[in-house]
Amino acid sequence: GAVVSQHPSWVICKSGTSVKIECRSLDFQATTMFWYRQFPKQSLMLMATSNEGSKATYEQGVEKDKFLINHASLTLSTLTVTSAHPEDSSFYICSATDWDANGLHFGNGTRLTVT
Amino acid sequence: AQSVTQLGSHVSVSEGALVLLRCNYSSSVPPYLFWYVQYPNQGLQLLLKYTSAATLVKGINGFEAEFKKSETSFHLTKPSAHMSDAAEYFCAVSDKRSQGNLIFGKGTKLSVKP
């Protein structure tokens, strides 16, 4: 089946630094990728929708200058958390689809801890 | 607008007992409905989905769900719980036009007692 690889699986960084998270579709071309944020014991909240070659569409309340999303190729999307703060600590999950495949495919998530 | 309500944030069953996780949805258009499972510190794995075909959907790991339009429900069941079923379960809704944009319920944590 389709596989989405997310890297790193966990990262610890200091306040004020930036962190990049990668989401790769390994065996299909992902026309669209989605980025979610999940707080402890809560559901996934969609942050943004990323289409290859175009600017990401951000959900209301998500700061686009803080959460930079790049989808430069059909197999890779990146989320960069800029000037991270402790409140950005969360579990970030990506998903990908080629719209012809059988639904969405999720990465295993990235646990970000900002100290 | 679409929304999902999962009744019960935590469900506990004994091994071998019936598993029933409840999901009700709201949608102004014909919905696509999904159940996902999440193990600790991992992403989501699709259990099953309904996309306007058969109303009784069979998924992986022995799970199934029935779409009931009159009740706006899509409850997840499994006849006999296994210890490995302990996880967080999310119900989600989308529609044909925006099927990638899932609206998730708050999740139900399933515990299985030996």
Side-chain angles (χ1 to χ4, degrees):
Chain A
V3 177
V4 173
S5 173
Q6 195 171 333
H7 179 81
S9 55
W10 60 270
V11 58
I12 301 173
C13 71
K14 293 185 177 182
S15 286
T17 62
S18 295
V19 174
K20 180 184 285 188
I21 302 170
E22 292 186 348
C23 181
R24 293 181 183 272
S25 57
L26 298 185
D27 53 0
F28 68 101
Q29 293 185 324
T31 311
T32 303
M33 289 186 173
F34 301 87
W35 287 95
Y36 304 83
R37 183 173 180 176
Q38 185 180 29
F39 290 102
K41 299 184 180 181
Q42 294 191 30
S43 188
L44 281 74
M45 299 298 295
L46 180 66
M47 298 175 66
T49 302
S50 169
N51 291 300
E52 186 267 337
S54 62
K55 290 183 178 181
T57 301
Y58 290 81
E59 295 299 304
Q60 191 173 9
V62 178
E63 299 177 60
K64 62 180 181 181
D65 294 330
K66 180 169 187 60
F67 298 100
L68 300 179
I69 292 173
N70 183 279
H71 193 164
S73 77
L74 285 171
T75 59
L76 174 64
S77 176
T78 60
L79 167 66
T80 301
V81 183
T82 62
S83 188
H85 288 112
E87 55 265 32
D88 298 326
S89 298
S90 190
F91 194 55
Y92 293 87
I93 304 176
C94 72
S95 67
T97 182
D98 61 2
W99 298 108
D100 292 332
N102 196 21
L104 286 178
H105 306 281
F106 284 82
N108 278 335
T110 297
R111 172 76 57 194
L112 170 63
T113 301
V114 184
T115 61
Chain B
Q2 297 176 308
S3 66
V4 170
T5 302
Q6 289 184 242
L7 297 176
S9 59
H10 191 187
V11 170
S12 181
V13 301
S14 298
E15 191 173 19
L18 171 71
V19 176
L20 170 61
L21 304 182
R22 300 178 185 274
C23 172
N24 288 90
Y25 70 91
S26 173
S27 179
S28 57
V29 296
Y32 283 12
L33 293 159
F34 306 79
W35 275 101
Y36 286 89
V37 60
Q38 184 181 33
Y39 296 98
N41 292 313
Q42 292 190 27
L44 274 66
Q45 181 182 8
L46 179 67
L47 283 176
L48 49 81
K49 73 173 188 178
Y50 166 78
T51 57
S52 75
T55 56
L56 181 61
V57 182
K58 294 187 183 297
I60 62 172
N61 301 340
F63 285 94
E64 64 181 38
E66 185 172 7
F67 172 69
K68 291 186 177 181
K69 184 178 180 180
S70 61
E71 300 177 8
T72 61
S73 69
F74 191 58
H75 302 330
L76 181 71
T77 61
K78 181 174 180 177
S80 177
H82 192 272
M83 296 296 291
S84 61
D85 294 327
E88 188 90 22
Y89 291 81
F90 292 95
C91 181
V93 64
S94 70
D95 57 64
K96 184 176 182 179
R97 184 173 62 86
S98 60
Q99 58 183 296
N101 188 352
L102 297 176
I103 306 299
F104 287 90
K106 292 188 175 183
T108 298
K109 183 176 181 179
L110 176 66
S111 298
V112 182
K113 299 174 291 185

